[in-house]
Amino acid sequence: MAEATNFIEQIVESDLESGKVTVIQTRFPPEPNGYLHIGHAKSMFVNFGTALKYGGKCNLFFDDTNPSKEKTEFVDAIRADIRWLGYEWARECYASDFFDTIYEYAEKLIMDGKAFVCDLSAEEIKNTRGTLTEPGQESPYRNRSVEENLRLFREMKAGKYADGEKCLRAKIDMASPNVNMRDPVIYRILHMSHHRTGDKWCIYPMYDYAHPICDYLQGVTHSLCTLEFEDHRPLYDWVGINLGFDPKPRQIEFARLNITNLVMSKRYLKKLVEEGSVHGWDDPRMPTLAGLRNRGVPAAAIRDFCERAGVTKANSECEIGYFEAVIRDYLNARAPRAMAVLDPLKLVITNYEGGEDVDFDVNPLEPETGTRKVHFSGELYIDRSDFSLDPPPKYHRLKLGGNVRLKSAYIIRADEAVKDENGNVVEVRCTYFPESRSGSDTSGIKAKGVIHWVDASTAVDAVVKQYDHLLNDADYAGQDFNERLNRDSEHLFSAKAEPYLAEVPEGSDFQLLRVGYYKTCRDGDKLCLSEVVSLKDNFNK
Ligand code: ATP
Ligand code: MG
């Protein structure tokens, strides 16, 4: 058997070993009211990953008990995101598939004297729930007869009552120390169309009541959810016990994934989209899976991150730098290298004539990827930040009278800086050393620094997009997210890039040498290089 690496896997293993369970069945249960985010990736890693590891199955279960917020658009996006992340579900189902059975189970509870129709308003129910230290008050409708409850519940279903006029409550214990057990509402009246059942229903089951039933009907063995449901587990179990479920699914809670500088509440992400603070759900700055995909983050790096972040029982917050370090590690090993300059400065090699192709390592960490040809000539672009008229001590890039190596090409010496009428450097004139060519350097000339470059005559214009975090640091707990919103998180550059970058398929990830990891895309007919993750590692520092 596979080796358990967390407490959920330990439980699963012992259930398999004891014979309590023969095949693991889990489910990933999104509510189709928004796009999936990196937190959901964690939930998928736990639900799909555990099933996969132990030869079981995981369903895709859409929790659509709340008709007011659910949309088919989200259902489609969720499916696409799960597949992109690399998971495939055994069966797809919806809470609404089970509405008939969920309803019948409610009648059974009524007939067993375990549920009653209550006329109190939502407000009154809230006000009589008691507190953590005081018991609640029993509803005056709690002792209605089975016949009356059944009649009223059927009338609720038939549409006789307005929203909120009545509800169905489980009859449990108004003095329970667990507030969730104080006669919780299990059905409410809502005259509203549902994205799948249309106008068939005007009463809808509450999540806490419907979820254990849906789990049972799917044959779920382990219902894996986040910690905020821990206090709901007694109700989950109550439903299973009182409806005679055998075998009863087991709910196990794990800690949510939280990451600094990121918010994973669908409600807030929706607000960002609606208020136009981002370009959409798939904006590369969004923590949605659609955003991360658009950003160029490989799905495997996300799965890797979820695995490394671990599955625990205690809430904590992960540094965003750690997430970025995992992405960087992944791309560093796999992304081909290329060159582009974000702030181009013309460089003229006065003693070089013609042009040639030089050999450029595709990925020096993967020697079998070999080399490709990059065109070199006497007119190049380098990055403005790689030349200084007033260099600080130990400056190893280009300075007047100083040497530097042009990556994969020659060593050059800067002779002269040409300025415009405002005194800005517009061109650097250099001399190259013919014997210093990379790979066959016999010059004996030393150069401490290596800089990247792009051949001027073949370069293509590119828009480079760089991103900051969408949210400022998380030390603002309790404050409105709006105050944390970084309103200047997208930076554009007019860059010069190797023509090669315009020829590769759109959506390819690259390491732009000395710049960062970028994805190629198009903006009309213009090449766009969009930042995946910077080269700088702020985490291991
Ligand atoms: P949100 O608060 O963003 O709306 P949610 O929990 O309401 O999230 P659901 O669609 O109900 O979103 O979530 C589907 C599953 O994903 C649930 O089991 C939920 O516990 C889990 N999940 C959501 N956010 C996280 C997270 N940050 N870490 C781990 N699991 C998560
Ligand atoms: Mg939810």
Side-chain angles (χ1 to χ4, degrees), residues 58 165 178 320 414:
C58 179
E165 204 177 328
N178 184 330
I320 188 145

Side-chain angles (χ1 to χ4, degrees), residues 29-250:
E31 188 179 348
N33 63 348
Y35 283 66
L36 298 181
H37 50 60
I38 175 87
H40 292 112
K42 173 73 171 271
S43 176
M44 282 188 257
F45 171 76
V46 173
N47 281 294
F48 284 102
T50 307
L52 215 61
K53 182 163 175 178
Y54 292 95
K57 292 185 204 153
C58 179
N59 291 348
L60 169 56
F61 171 72
F62 285 107
D63 163 31
D64 60 353
T65 47
N66 184 0
S68 59
K69 289 191 254 157
E70 291 143 11
K71 284 205 207 127
T72 308
E73 171 205 347
F74 297 133
V75 168
D76 294 337
I78 287 170
R79 281 199 201 108
D81 287 346
I82 298 171
R83 291 206 167 106
W84 174 72
L85 196 59
Y87 295 116
E88 191 57 58
W89 49 95
R91 175 178 166 197
E92 176 177 316
C93 48
Y94 295 74
S96 54
D97 294 341
F98 304 116
F99 277 176
D100 287 312
T101 314
I102 294 171
Y103 175 84
E104 281 158 27
Y105 276 130
E107 286 209 352
K108 175 175 160 53
L109 287 178
I110 291 173
M111 287 188 283
D112 292 344
K114 289 169 181 165
F116 65 98
V117 172
C118 184
D119 295 6
L120 295 181
S121 67
E123 186 69 17
E124 288 165 325
I125 290 176
K126 199 171 137 219
N127 292 338
T128 51
R129 262 180 111 199
T131 63
L132 286 178
T133 49
E134 278 169 57
Q137 297 156 36
E138 292 191 350
S139 161
Y141 306 98
R142 196 174 200 263
N143 296 312
R144 277 176 163 153
S145 68
V146 167
E147 292 67 34
E148 188 183 7
N149 279 322
L150 212 48
R151 176 176 58 80
L152 292 172
F153 187 50
R154 288 176 180 168
E155 286 175 356
M156 279 168 60
K157 179 187 177 217
K160 186 161 175 191
Y161 306 107
D163 291 0
E165 204 177 328
K166 289 189 175 7
C167 63
L168 186 70
R169 296 175 70 178
K171 197 191 269 192
I172 309 180
D173 179 7
M174 288 307 289
S176 169
N178 184 330
V179 181
N180 295 310
M181 298 296 274
R182 294 182 187 169
D183 293 3
V185 174
I186 60 175
Y187 258 97
R188 58 180 172 156
I189 301 173
L190 206 58
H191 290 268
M192 188 176 276
S193 278
H194 186 278
H195 76 125
R196 297 190 87 230
T197 57
D199 293 320
K200 176 174 175 188
W201 297 92
C202 63
I203 57 172
Y204 291 95
M206 302 303 287
Y207 174 87
D208 277 346
Y209 164 66
H211 203 77
I213 298 176
C214 294
D215 279 349
Y216 175 65
L217 296 174
Q218 293 173 74
V220 167
T221 55
H222 298 81
S223 182
L224 312 175
C225 62
T226 36
L227 274 185
E228 71 273 20
F229 291 102
E230 194 168 21
D231 289 345
H232 299 240
R233 186 174 358 117
L235 180 52
Y236 184 96
D237 288 338
W238 184 92
V239 172
I241 291 165
N242 286 280
L243 292 174
F245 292 169
D246 184 28
K248 202 168 69 55
R250 171 168 181 184

Side-chain angles (χ1 to χ4, degrees), residues 318-349:
C318 175
E319 287 284 332
I320 188 145
Y322 183 64
F323 181 39
E324 291 169 354
V326 173
I327 300 169
R328 193 179 296 115
D329 279 0
Y330 188 91
L331 291 175
N332 187 30
R334 293 167 181 84
R337 274 52 173 170
M339 295 193 285
V341 292
L342 270 50
D343 188 1
L345 173 63
K346 192 75 168 284
L347 185 125
V348 175
I349 304 173

Side-chain angles (χ1 to χ4, degrees), residues 392-517:
K394 295 198 180 153
Y395 185 82
H396 295 319
R397 290 170 277 168
L398 197 57
K399 58 189 173 196
L400 291 179
N403 293 346
V404 83
R405 175 174 294 284
L406 294 170
K407 175 71 190 172
S408 299
Y410 299 92
I411 296 177
I412 53 167
R413 185 189 64 223
D415 303 317
E416 183 193 351
V418 181
K419 296 179 183 173
D420 64 10
E421 62 272 23
N422 300 318
N424 299 317
V425 176
V426 290
E427 187 178 302
V428 181
R429 298 176 76 80
C430 306
T431 310
Y432 91 113
F433 301 98
E435 311 300 314
S436 68
R437 187 173 152 150
S438 278
S440 55
D441 184 349
T442 54
S443 68
I445 293 168
K446 296 254 177 313
K448 281 203 169 136
V450 180
I451 64 173
H452 62 288
W453 51 272
V454 174
D455 170 48
S457 64
T458 54
V460 295
D461 290 323
V463 178
V464 166
K465 297 184 179 176
Q466 259 178 18
Y467 306 105
D468 283 336
H469 299 137
L470 201 50
L471 290 188
N472 291 314
D473 232 331
D475 304 332
Y476 294 79
Q479 283 190 31
D480 193 291
F481 283 133
N482 279 334
E483 292 172 35
R484 287 179 56 189
L485 185 63
N486 176 2
R487 291 179 197 278
D488 184 27
S489 53
E490 186 183 59
H491 310 288
L492 302 184
F493 299 85
S494 300
K496 294 281 184 188
E498 289 186 59
Y500 173 70
L501 288 168
E503 290 156 14
V504 297
E506 223 181 302
S508 310
D509 283 337
F510 279 91
Q511 184 196 94
L512 296 183
L513 280 192
R514 303 180 62 237
V515 179
Y517 294 94

